[in-house]
């Protein structure tokens, strides 16, 4: 019996205790990044210049903060807008 591919179903469970969920709103000059970070009561929000290394540094900082709160981060999930640079940035 063949199974059809269903893109609406996730192949991996979202484990909220060890996953950072980051959302990026982009413009040409600035990026606004918000996140859900396990172990943090606040929901971080940061505006950065449009710079991929700065974004990676920010995500690492949030990963370290989660670690200090007792949550080892195994995965970072990124949501982004479909236009402009979102696709290459997430890769």
């Amino acid at each position: 019996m063949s199974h059809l591919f269903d893109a609406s179903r996730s192949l991996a469970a979202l484990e909220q205790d060890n996953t950072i969920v980051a959302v990026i709103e982009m413009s040409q000059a600035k990026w606004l990044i918000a996140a859900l970070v396990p172990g943090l009561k606040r929901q971080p929000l940061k505006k950065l210049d449009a710079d991929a290394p700065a974004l990676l540094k920010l995500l690492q900082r949030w990963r370290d903060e989660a670690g200090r709160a007792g949550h080892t981060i195994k995965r970072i999930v990124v949501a982004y807008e479909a236009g402009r640079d979102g696709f290459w940035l997430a890769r």
Side-chain angles (χ1 to χ4, degrees), residues 7-26:
S8 68
R9 292 184 51 215
S10 175
L11 299 177
L14 177 63
E15 297 177 19
Q16 293 180 338
D17 286 342
N18 60 23
T19 302
I20 292 176
V21 179
V23 179
I24 306 168
E25 179 183 280
M26 297 182 200

Side-chain angles (χ1 to χ4, degrees), residues 53-67:
L55 174 62
L56 291 175
K57 186 176 178 179
L58 177 64
L59 292 172
Q60 183 61 49
R61 188 181 91 203
W62 288 342
R63 174 182 271 176
D64 294 342
E65 288 181 26

Side-chain angles (χ1 to χ4, degrees), residues 11-88:
L11 299 177
L14 177 63
E15 297 177 19
Q16 293 180 338
D17 286 342
N18 60 23
T19 302
I20 292 176
V21 179
V23 179
I24 306 168
E25 179 183 280
M26 297 182 200
S27 70
Q28 287 186 336
K30 299 283 184 184
W31 294 343
L32 183 63
I33 301 96
L36 295 174
V37 181
L40 300 187
K41 291 184 180 180
R42 73 183 199 291
Q43 294 178 351
L45 179 67
K46 183 76 174 167
K47 185 178 269 189
L48 298 175
D49 290 330
D51 179 36
L55 174 62
L56 291 175
K57 186 176 178 179
L58 177 64
L59 292 172
Q60 183 61 49
R61 188 181 91 203
W62 288 342
R63 174 182 271 176
D64 294 342
E65 288 181 26
R68 286 191 296 273
H71 294 265
T72 301
I73 300 301
K74 296 179 182 175
R75 187 167 154 196
I76 298 176
V77 177
V78 178
Y80 55 89
E81 56 190 318
R84 206 169 126 49
D85 295 327
F87 180 74
W88 75 263

